[in-house]
Amino acid sequence: MLVKIRGAAVTGIDAIVVTVEVSVDNGASFAMVGLPDAAVKESCERVRSAIKESGYTMPRRAIVVNMAPADVRKEGAAYDLPIAVGILAGSGQLTLPADGTYMIMGELSLDGSLLPIRGALPMAIRARELGFKGMIVPVANAVEAAAVNRLDVYGAENLGQVVRFLAGTEAIEPTVVNTREEFARSENVFEDDFSDVCGQENVKRAFEVACAGGHNILLVGPPGSGKSMMAKRLPTIMPRLSLAEALETTKIHSVAGKLRRGTSLMASRPFRSPHHTISPVALVGGGTNPKPGEISLAHNGILFMDEFPEFNRSVLEVLRQPLEDRVITISRAKYSVDYPAGFMLVASMNPCPCGYYTHPTKACTCTPAAVQKYLGRISGPLLDRIDIQVEIQPVPFEQIANRQSGESSAAIRERVEAARAIQERRFASEPGVHCNARMNSRLIRQWVCLDAESTALLEAIMRKHDMSARAYDRILKVARTIADLDGSPDVLARHIREATSYRNLDRASWGTFM
């Protein structure tokens, strides 16, 4: 007897339907075709044990399992459940309902219990698009999949429960999640706040500008100046996630298996902070079975790279293309997958190997050549892609002892969101452009028109510090953001002056600014 069960496979951050065809016929063999990987092939023993422990009989007959489309590689143990259901239906131990098709996915333990899977959210989205009656997943994935409205999601604990549900002898209540209500209730929950930061007003301003325009930022300062502490508070002033952004972000974390159990939608922007020993593959994604890397997990959020020069040179250089294109393509011989990488890069570094080149009280022990060599670990093209480069100094004791609270994150976020609202209206007709940092040359010419005074000022500064053409575009983008924060329709000389002050690490101007 031949039966067909609908499952799904994840490609990139989207899903395609996989039809699990199970044929039970005369003989005594077990064959699996359809480009399964090792984990899928091993499902034979898991399914055999799960069926037995659930009180059913593994048929001693010729079983052929085909997973179509056969030219798409099937990966992971999530096909255990549809294979087991297909075998039971093909051997006459289960009659499938005729009133609709369910998408069924889940990993089986040897005792028949269901274990969580990766990618439940994109699978549920695909099931709704194709008009499936419902979706059956492990109970651990039910809340995640139920974030997709207009689709009945049934969370099951074991194989026996799934069989009884399909046979109509046991009811499973569909999991219901009020997506908007859950999203509103869980957003904006932060433990840290910028009001805890003493002093550092110039750095706070740089962060405000960076968040308002989505600009990459690099902090340079001696140890103990507060670089990491302030960077970890950045999510508190980032614009709130929209529902569309939350859905896209949650899909990526679901595919990567990073979504916490019981989470429906991620309500806060991700903050990823990889260690400097990370490999290029772990950063950008890929591997034998491609998965999203840190830059994709930081999509719609922040990628914080502390001790920037300590990262391997090859790791830093692979950032160049994603910083420009905001997508990373993982190519293999027979296929390629695209992962979003629209993150805001926040990096920090010491100014020299000993860390005290710019310290106001401690003497630096490094030679000028050592300082330049240390900075040389970061290539010029990569530095050009960082819009804001700002110096940070330790807070004087008087300010620390004063313990006076600074401006709250909520107040800063209010200004940031007002500036972002201006940009959303400005780029409403430009697909994929939501903030100033994503402007291309055409949009820069259209929206950044300098008067004679501003042009002369920018020319003088660029000639003095021998800035590149890419730095020119970055300055104009940042100046446009500063003008938005100022509520000014035009970019004025004061905006240009502030924007150029955020190019501290342009190579020709390193000694001058320091």
Side-chain angles (χ1 to χ4, degrees):
M1 182 178 178
L2 175 66
V3 297
K4 297 182 179 182
I5 309 296
R6 307 297 179 182
V10 175
T11 58
I13 63 169
D14 297 311
I16 62 171
V17 170
V18 171
T19 302
V20 180
E21 302 175 327
V22 180
S23 173
V24 181
D25 209 339
N26 295 328
S29 62
F30 189 101
M32 187 176 293
V33 295
L35 213 59
D37 71 352
V40 180
K41 292 178 180 177
E42 291 172 351
S43 67
C44 173
E45 300 305 322
R46 292 191 297 271
V47 168
R48 189 188 308 275
S49 175
I51 288 177
K52 178 182 176 182
E53 294 297 325
S54 299
Y56 303 98
T57 303
M58 182 71 178
R60 297 182 178 180
R61 303 176 68 183
I63 301 174
V64 178
V65 178
N66 176 50
M67 288 176 282
D71 60 343
V72 176
R73 188 166 181 80
K74 319 304 184 304
E75 300 170 348
Y79 299 98
D80 292 357
L81 183 58
I83 291 172
V85 170
I87 290 174
L88 291 175
S91 60
Q93 301 178 69
L94 168 65
T95 301
L96 295 174
D99 59 345
T101 303
Y102 293 94
M103 179 178 284
I104 303 174
M105 292 295 284
E107 178 182 346
L108 284 171
S109 180
L110 293 181
D111 63 357
S113 58
L114 289 174
L115 303 177
I117 61 174
R118 294 188 296 113
L121 180 58
M123 292 177 187
I125 293 173
R126 189 61 176 159
R128 183 188 63 182
E129 291 173 348
L130 297 179
F132 280 64
K133 181 180 180 181
M135 183 177 185
I136 302 174
V137 293
V139 68
N141 296 109
V143 173
E144 172 189 345
V148 180
N149 54 16
R150 302 193 305 277
L151 177 72
D152 290 336
V153 175
Y154 301 93
E157 295 183 353
N158 52 62
L159 173 61
Q161 189 179 22
V162 173
V163 173
R164 292 189 296 272
F165 171 74
L166 293 173
T169 60
E170 180 178 334
I172 301 177
E173 289 297 321
T175 303
V176 178
V177 174
N178 189 323
T179 305
R180 292 185 180 276
E181 186 178 302
E182 290 286 328
F183 182 72
R185 182 166 54 242
S186 57
E187 70 173 346
N188 306 325
V189 179
F190 301 109
E191 295 181 359
D192 301 317
D193 195 280
F194 267 103
S195 61
D196 303 327
V197 180
C198 300
Q200 304 292 15
E201 298 304 322
N202 63 319
V203 183
K204 291 180 186 178
R205 171 64 177 178
F207 276 157
E208 180 180 338
V209 173
C211 292
H215 303 288
N216 304 317
I217 183 170
L218 172 63
L219 301 177
V220 185
S225 55
K227 301 186 295 293
S228 301
M229 179 268 292
M230 296 185 69
K232 290 176 181 177
R233 284 166 167 74
L234 264 179
T236 67
I237 64 172
M238 290 281 285
R240 294 171 178 84
L241 277 174
S242 66
L243 268 175
E245 288 176 325
L247 184 63
E248 186 179 31
T249 304
T250 306
K251 282 173 63 177
I252 297 171
H253 285 250
S254 173
V255 169
K258 302 293 185 180
L259 205 60
R260 293 197 304 271
R261 181 170 179 174
T263 300
S264 56
L265 281 182
M266 295 179 63
S268 299
R269 294 188 181 272
F271 182 91
R272 306 295 299 184
S273 181
H275 193 261
H276 64 259
T277 56
I278 192 172
S279 68
V281 171
L283 184 67
V284 302
T288 305
N289 300 325
K291 290 183 181 180
E294 289 292 330
I295 63 173
S296 295
L297 293 172
H299 181 64
N300 289 325
I302 295 168
L303 178 69
F304 177 49
M305 302 183 73
D306 201 7
E307 304 296 341
F308 203 39
E310 300 302 326
F311 284 80
N312 189 286
R313 181 68 176 258
S314 61
V315 172
L316 294 180
E317 292 306 301
V318 297
L319 284 173
R320 288 163 56 176
Q321 181 263 334
L323 284 173
E324 289 288 337
D325 300 339
R326 298 184 179 274
V327 66
I328 185 71
T329 301
I330 308 298
S331 299
R332 295 293 180 266
K334 295 184 178 180
Y335 65 93
S336 64
V337 295
D338 292 333
Y339 293 122
F343 59 93
M344 189 176 108
L345 175 64
V346 180
S348 69
M349 60 179 285
N350 295 332
C352 65
C354 78
Y356 298 109
Y357 177 52
T358 61
H359 199 283
T361 58
K362 296 184 179 180
C364 174
T365 60
C366 304
T367 63
V371 174
Q372 289 297 329
K373 183 179 179 181
Y374 187 73
L375 178 63
R377 296 184 187 181
I378 306 172
S379 68
L382 180 57
L383 276 177
D384 278 345
R385 286 168 167 84
I386 300 176
D387 301 352
I388 298 176
Q389 305 160 3
V390 64
E391 183 184 359
I392 179 173
Q393 292 291 350
V395 179
F397 175 79
E398 293 77 11
Q399 291 188 17
I400 298 176
N402 190 18
R403 309 294 286 179
Q404 184 176 355
S405 296
E407 189 175 23
S408 69
S409 293
I412 301 174
R413 171 182 271 191
E414 187 175 343
R415 294 195 296 270
V416 167
E417 291 186 332
R420 281 292 183 103
I422 294 173
Q423 294 163 48
E424 289 284 350
R425 293 192 294 270
R426 176 183 298 141
F427 304 123
S429 61
E430 301 289 342
V433 180
H434 307 291
C435 58
N436 291 331
R438 301 189 185 186
M439 286 193 295
N440 54 30
S441 297
R442 175 181 62 83
L443 292 175
I444 293 174
R445 290 193 301 270
Q446 179 179 351
W447 295 107
V448 187
C449 300
L450 303 182
D451 57 21
E453 181 186 359
S454 301
T455 302
L457 175 63
L458 181 56
E459 179 183 3
I461 294 175
M462 290 198 66
R463 287 185 182 279
K464 178 180 179 181
H465 301 297
D466 193 23
M467 295 181 179
S468 68
R470 184 178 281 115
Y472 173 80
D473 283 348
R474 304 289 171 179
I475 290 171
L476 294 183
K477 290 180 182 181
V478 173
R480 178 67 267 176
T481 299
I482 296 170
D484 290 340
L485 285 168
D486 201 19
S488 172
D490 300 318
V491 176
L492 306 177
R494 66 176 183 272
H495 305 139
I496 292 293
R497 188 174 291 106
E498 182 178 353
T500 53
S501 72
Y502 295 140
R503 300 298 301 180
N504 288 11
L505 287 191
D506 282 316
R507 288 178 178 271
S509 60
W510 167 256
T512 303
F513 278 113
M514 293 296 185

